[in-house]
Amino acid sequence: MSGSVTTSVVKVRDVLLVVVPPEPADAAIAALQDEVLEAMERHEARGLILDLSTVEIVDSFFARIITETAQMVALMGGRTVIAGMRAPVAITVTQLGLLITGTDTALTVDRALDRLSVEAARVTR
Amino acid sequence: MTSGTDQQVLVASEGDVVTARRRIREYAIAAGFSLTDVTRIVTAASELTRNLHLHAGGGRVSWKTVLDGDRVGMEMSFVDEGPGIADLERAFEPGYTSGRGLGMGLSGSKRLMDEIEIDSAPGHGTVVVARKWLR
């Protein structure tokens, strides 16, 4: 069952990367939030990249969890970048009237990594 | 308007929401909707099925093909025997919520679908019917 697929949090350079499954169930999304925040602390990560490139649906519950998570990550001193949202999902989220706030966006994970690294370079200089 | 055979999922748990979403996606793809319309249909289905689960303690989601003259479409019905909605006009306002959730379910689904109809009364449950026509 695709809804029960667990999502893992991977550390890449000094940021966390989460590849979100195509059709996550509510419980899986909520569990992911806890996992991400624990990993932020454990790895002293600089930021979080949410890879949505395989995600087929973002509804109001998912959008709320993304916004909440970004806010929590910000409270811990990190940045959140949403990467790879597909066109039909972007169209639907907008028409549904959902607001995803407190995040940066990037077309791909590569660009998200670049963005966070550039910021890191600027901060350490 | 004529219609084909119903397919349905009984919604009693969150897992059933995922099942309904997946089967509606498969049906909409087979019916010939574009990927963007499939995403609109599945997202509306997700919002409205979650309403059944959160506000009515469960219910039934069914869907079928409908014909109206030259038009072919997909019709989804969300039926529950929950508390019902007292103020139907306000229920369609963005941000109006009876409790949990963002209150985007009905108003947002209306923007994603071509037609949406709702019938409800306090104590008598709610029926939401949503249609999308093939272009």
Side-chain angles (χ1 to χ4, degrees):
Chain A
M1 197 170 113
S2 70
S4 64
V5 169
T6 52
T7 308
S8 54
V9 180
V10 197
K11 188 172 176 248
V12 182
R13 297 189 212 165
D14 51 1
V15 301
L16 301 177
L17 173 64
V18 173
V19 182
V20 184
E23 215 186 337
D26 289 2
I29 296 169
L32 186 64
Q33 184 179 67
D34 289 351
E35 206 186 323
V36 161
L37 293 172
E38 281 163 20
M40 279 294 291
E41 185 176 320
R42 196 166 57 244
H43 297 299
E44 297 182 7
R46 195 181 293 282
L48 167 69
I49 297 173
L50 287 175
D51 180 0
L52 301 186
S53 60
T54 68
V55 168
E56 292 171 341
I57 170 173
V58 173
D59 61 10
S60 60
F61 179 82
F62 194 0
R64 190 182 71 205
I65 296 290
I66 292 174
T67 297
E68 267 183 26
T69 306
Q71 191 185 340
M72 293 167 184
V73 167
L75 284 172
M76 295 175 73
R79 301 291 306 267
T80 299
V81 183
I82 293 173
M85 186 183 285
R86 296 170 67 189
V89 176
I91 292 168
T92 303
V93 163
T94 305
Q95 290 184 339
L96 191 54
L98 303 177
L99 289 175
I100 297 177
T101 56
T103 60
D104 282 337
T105 54
L107 197 57
T108 62
V109 169
D110 255 7
R111 291 193 191 173
L113 274 169
D114 287 347
R115 174 163 305 182
L116 285 169
S117 315
V118 167
E119 267 172 24
R122 208 175 281 143
V123 171
T124 51
R125 198 171 291 152
Chain B
M1 199 156 70
T2 56
S3 63
T5 325
D6 268 33
Q7 301 215 24
Q8 69 164 29
V9 167
L10 297 176
V11 179
S13 72
E14 199 204 296
D16 298 329
V17 177
V18 177
T19 303
R21 228 155 59 178
R22 184 174 332 113
R23 287 188 50 196
I24 286 169
R25 167 180 294 278
E26 287 164 4
Y27 192 91
I29 290 170
F33 284 100
S34 71
L35 186 55
T36 300
D37 274 349
V38 168
T39 306
R40 289 186 176 107
I41 291 166
V42 175
T43 306
S46 187
E47 297 295 326
L48 297 171
T49 307
R50 183 176 291 109
N51 280 353
L52 293 183
H53 176 54
L54 288 183
H55 303 305
R60 181 170 61 86
V61 180
S62 62
W63 58 95
K64 61 188 177 186
T65 299
V66 284
L67 303 172
D68 179 27
D70 289 343
R71 295 195 300 176
V72 180
M74 178 171 172
E75 180 181 289
M76 303 188 286
S77 300
F78 305 82
V79 181
D80 71 62
E81 290 169 5
I85 302 170
D87 191 339
L88 281 178
E89 282 188 20
R90 287 204 64 201
F92 275 108
E93 287 175 13
Y96 175 77
T97 175
S98 57
R100 287 169 284 190
L102 292 174
M104 301 309 288
L106 266 180
S107 63
S109 299
K110 198 176 183 181
R111 284 192 293 272
L112 296 177
M113 301 297 289
D114 292 328
E115 291 156 22
I116 194 159
E117 289 145 20
I118 182 164
D119 188 11
S120 182
H124 291 88
T126 303
V127 178
V128 178
V129 176
R131 264 173 240 110
K132 191 86 181 166
W133 297 103
L134 276 167
R135 273 175 295 201

